Amino acid sequence: MASLLEALQHLIRLIANKMVGEQVRLTLDISGYKASKNRELEELAMSVAENVSKSGYPQSLRPMNSYERRVIHTALTGFDGIEVVSVGE
């Protein structure tokens, strides 16, 4: 579902850019899918951060696209004792 939503968002953004004649920032969220996904990512971030805080051991997450990584980084901003590092593109 996520890749289909991203593809639709990209196509609509291209059409909007062409119609307006300039870059358009656009986020497509159908039936609250993206908001729900953001909540899941934020909950994951907090859960992993708590585990790392208790155990003292680093933990890795699955590979994520740049948007998902940004949600994780934002969710953990201000979480004391946790350093968030992205590896790769």
Side-chain angles (χ1 to χ4, degrees):
M1 175 70 162
S3 59
L4 176 59
L5 186 61
E6 290 168 10
L8 283 172
Q9 179 176 293
H10 179 70
L11 289 174
I12 292 170
R13 186 180 301 127
L14 289 175
I15 292 167
N17 289 344
K18 191 166 194 147
M19 290 176 70
V20 174
E22 61 185 60
Q23 291 282 23
V24 174
R25 292 188 63 105
L26 175 88
T27 302
L28 181 62
D29 188 6
I30 299 173
S31 296
Y33 176 83
K34 199 166 234 178
S36 173
K37 186 69 173 170
N38 285 355
R39 275 192 305 279
E40 287 177 21
L41 288 169
E42 289 166 356
E43 289 171 7
L44 172 66
M46 291 302 175
S47 174
V48 169
E50 288 172 11
N51 288 341
V52 168
S53 222
K54 288 177 186 173
S55 72
Y57 293 105
Q59 194 168 347
S60 297
L61 300 177
R62 65 173 172 76
M64 297 180 181
N65 64 38
S66 61
Y67 179 82
E68 292 172 324
R69 287 192 307 271
R70 183 172 185 270
V71 171
I72 296 290
H73 281 266
T74 302
L76 294 178
T77 299
F79 198 106
D80 290 334
I82 298 296
E83 178 184 6
V84 182
V85 178
S86 291
V87 178
E89 296 178 27

